[in-house]
Amino acid sequence: MSKLINIDGIREASIVDFLARLGHHPAHRSGGELFYRSMLREENTPSLAVNDGIGIWFDHGGANQSGIKGGNIIDLAMSYWYPATFYEVIQKISDVMAISLSEQADTSEKVKRQRTAPPEEPRYTINVVKEIGNHPAIVQYLQSRGILEQARGRMKEVYYSFNSGPNEGKKFFSAGWQNEHGSWELRNKIGQTDFKACLGRKSISFIAGNPDKLSVFEGYMDYLSWLRDNPHSTDSIIVLNSVNLLEIAVDRAAGYQEIDLYFDRDKAGSTALANFQQKLPHATDRSEVYKGYNDYNEMLMARLRCRLPWQDDYPRTRSDHLTSGNRPKLSNPFLTNIFKTHHHGNYYYLGCSPIFNSPLLRHKVPLPNII
């Protein structure tokens, strides 16, 4: 008869407390979930969700090196201290949480880990759905992302409330669109935080178009940013809504002769790209379009910050992209833009660059009609 470690105390430990002791704190709350910037991989937008009431976490940004996307506190610790062994991880949790590990007799040779059952869908009510343009905060948010006009008719204003949990009875609103399950994918700005959530079951979003030509985007904001630059495109569209849904997207994309991929230029996006092209080798990586930026929308917002008041947007098409030599890049919104104009004939040459001696990036733009 062997001696086994009793880990009941560890299973019952708070994930939020565990992360706090490791120096990680939530960026914001959505319903009964707390959202963290993932400590398991690199990311800018908080997408690791923790429901401490039922002891579950899930990383919407995708799997890390361990391949674990969610689970209980032990699964989180296995990811955090990867590739440590199970027994090493249990000891580390014990040390961090100051939980003593007692031993118990058992005839089994291994610790039997019990996985927590998946949580039920959150109980919420969709109070009303309106067209974009009714709530000034949503309008301002979409304007700040540079996609207000593209969002009209393709997104809605979703007003909802929760029937249980810490936000029971409270009313909320967000910009949203529906995925293939009819669930609402939500986006908004809360303070300085980009809020994202899903009311219902996660899935991809599909927009039917050309039966032979498909463009695939990681996020809906990137799709709308691309649409601003390609207003006459008839491509069919897939938006992942989460890189964890890549396999579903690959299955839907398999019948298309031409596939363009617009994934984020970060580790999760690179992994998704490699996995997609492994399954469908004829798919083409188009992320070179926004080289120097994390995604299409980040490039669009930087480009708009360099625009003069009288200018329309810089026209861009697939065959007429700005090259890396003349692309305006303002990755830090707190940097001061320096504008210089040089008159030559009927044009001004506009230079837009952040401070810190960045090279001046010039664009030839027409003079405004001033009477």
Side-chain angles (χ1 to χ4, degrees), residues 80-104:
Y80 190 82
W81 284 302
Y82 178 83
T85 68
F86 175 71
Y87 289 102
E88 289 172 341
V89 167
I90 292 298
Q91 186 60 59
K92 287 177 179 290
I93 300 175
S94 172
D95 294 339
V96 171
M97 302 299 291
I99 298 174
S100 62
L101 296 175
S102 59
E103 293 185 342
Q104 62 183 16

Side-chain angles (χ1 to χ4, degrees), residues 220-238:
Y220 204 78
M221 299 300 185
D222 297 320
Y223 156 57
L224 294 181
S225 301
W226 169 87
L227 189 64
R228 176 170 178 156
D229 288 343
N230 300 272
H232 304 298
S233 174
T234 60
D235 294 8
S236 291
I237 301 296
I238 287 179

Side-chain angles (χ1 to χ4, degrees), residues 330-356:
L330 289 176
S331 59
N332 189 331
F334 297 102
L335 295 180
T336 302
N337 294 339
I338 301 174
F339 291 94
K340 296 182 180 180
T341 56
H342 306 278
H343 180 242
H344 181 72
N346 293 325
Y347 291 89
Y348 275 121
Y349 285 83
L350 164 66
C352 177
S353 73
I355 56 176
F356 307 132

